[in-house]
Amino acid sequence: MQIVPQPCVRCGELIPAERIEALPETMVCVRCSKEIGGEFHVIVTPEKTSKEGSLKKNYGGYTTRKIRKPIKPRDEE
Ligand SMILES: [Zn+2]
């Protein structure tokens, strides 16, 4: 599959195909991602395996959710 460089939604520069290949969800270039402290909020939630109120330790795994931060064009910040 041919990967086409996409323009960064923040500064308009093209995001290199290598970055899109590594991170297909990305909408910003490396520089903007650094400037806004990452494109996503990562929320880690322990999975509940024991009943509510149980003292048993939770040996379950963790669910991670990524929430995209609102990204504004750099000019509007
Ligand atoms: Zn950018």
Side-chain angles (χ1 to χ4, degrees):
M1 195 185 88
Q2 180 75 37
I3 296 169
V4 185
Q6 303 285 331
C8 169
V9 295
R10 190 162 175 270
C11 72
E13 273 182 39
L14 284 180
I15 305 167
E18 302 85 69
R19 175 165 165 81
I20 297 172
E21 192 177 8
L23 200 62
E25 308 160 286
T26 196
M27 287 170 67
V28 294
C29 66
V30 180
R31 198 178 53 199
C32 286
S33 178
K34 276 186 191 153
E35 281 178 16
I36 63 177
E39 191 176 351
F40 299 99
H41 291 293
V42 180
I43 296 173
V44 182
T45 326
E47 282 168 9
K48 282 200 177 136
T49 53
S50 50
K51 280 181 188 153
E52 209 63 67
S54 164
L55 294 175
K56 245 171 88 182
K57 252 194 150 184
N58 186 347
Y59 290 110
Y62 291 87
T63 309
T64 55
R65 284 196 301 149
K66 284 200 280 187
I67 297 176
R68 192 181 293 280
K69 293 180 185 176
I71 298 166
K72 283 189 239 162
R74 195 169 51 187
D75 303 344
E76 291 175 23
E77 282 179 359

